[in-house]
Amino acid sequence: QKEVEQDPGPLSVPEGAIVSLNCTYSNSAFQYFMWYRQYSRKGPELLMYTYSSGNKEDGRFTAQVDKSSKYISLFIRDSQPSDSATYLCAMSGGLEYGNKLVFGAGTILRVKS
Amino acid sequence: DTGVSQDPRHKITKRGQNVTFRCDPISEHNRLYWYRQTLGQGPEFLTYFQNEAQLEKSRLLSDRFSAERPKGSFSTLEIQRTEQGDSAMYLCASSLGRALGDTQYFGPGTRLTVL
């Protein structure tokens, strides 16, 4: 079993829809949680960074962390065709673990105009 | 700040050849990471540096792989005697190395194809 599980999709939604992306994890040492967006043949771009359980909002994006359930989510409101990309969840145990990131497989999102 | 840069962006090589990739991190970032990403998968950690010191290597990094970061600035990743299974996107990331809120910024990657 992988440390981080993420449904690869693809997830196809109409423009304007609310998108929900999720990851589960098994390692209790993970303390920092991130969402990256990756366009085809490009490097990952950081979208959201959260520490501990709770919600964090940034524009149309909301990141949610539930450490008791080992479950994280990313919500995208008013989705746009330009949001079409692969969304990667990532997590780390912090500096004592080298801050190295463990990624999910990524969810392919397609927003149709 | 120009971000993390990687060179080359694409590399096609024949099996058995050696290849070397370069990564230039964001200036003043003392941590540098290498990841490998295959099609349909998320990036997997390979190794990382704190300044010029290589602090950890993944089990994915076989003896054919070597990485350096001379003078704590740019880094190189060399693969000797390439195999078809080495075909992947090689990503470099850098960060300040803070205890809290340490953010890794990724470069565009080097796509390696081994024929």
Side-chain angles (χ1 to χ4, degrees), chain A residues 67-113:
Chain A
K67 291 179 71 176
S68 63
S69 301
K70 296 189 176 65
Y71 187 89
I72 69 170
S73 300
L74 177 71
F75 298 95
I76 307 174
R77 291 183 297 282
D78 188 25
S79 55
Q80 303 295 310
S82 58
D83 293 328
S84 298
T86 296
Y87 289 80
L88 297 156
C89 64
M91 41 202 82
S92 77
L95 203 63
E96 63 180 293
Y97 294 92
N99 274 347
K100 57 182 182 288
L101 300 179
V102 180
F103 283 86
T107 299
I108 298 171
L109 173 65
R110 295 176 184 149
V111 181
K112 300 174 291 185
S113 58

Side-chain angles (χ1 to χ4, degrees), chain B residues 1 19 27 30 32 51 56 64 66-67 70-71 75 77 79 87 90 94 98 105 108 110 115:
Chain B
D1 187 349
V19 294
S27 58
N30 53 40
L32 187 148
N51 298 313
E56 188 175 344
R64 297 183 296 105
S66 62
K71 302 178 183 178
S75 176
L77 178 68
I79 309 174
S87 295
Y90 289 84
S94 70
R98 296 182 298 190
Y105 296 91
T110 294
L115 303 176

Side-chain angles (χ1 to χ4, degrees), chain A residues 2 8 32 34 36 38 40-46 49 51 88 94-95 97-106, chain B residues 9 31 33 35 37 40-43 45 48 56 89 91 97-109 111:
Chain A
K2 292 184 178 181
Y32 303 92
M34 287 133 276
Y36 283 84
Q38 186 174 30
S40 182
R41 298 182 178 269
K42 304 289 186 184
E45 169 195 12
L46 182 68
Y49 184 108
Y51 169 66
L88 297 156
L95 203 63
Y97 294 92
N99 274 347
K100 57 182 182 288
L101 300 179
V102 180
F103 283 86
Chain B
R9 295 291 306 278
R31 287 238 168 163
Y33 299 80
Y35 294 84
Q37 186 177 25
Q41 300 299 316
F45 168 77
Y48 84 93
E56 188 175 344
M89 172 84 94
L91 293 161
R98 296 182 298 190
L100 189 64
D102 194 47
T103 302
Q104 291 184 30
Y105 296 91
F106 282 81
R111 182 168 296 278

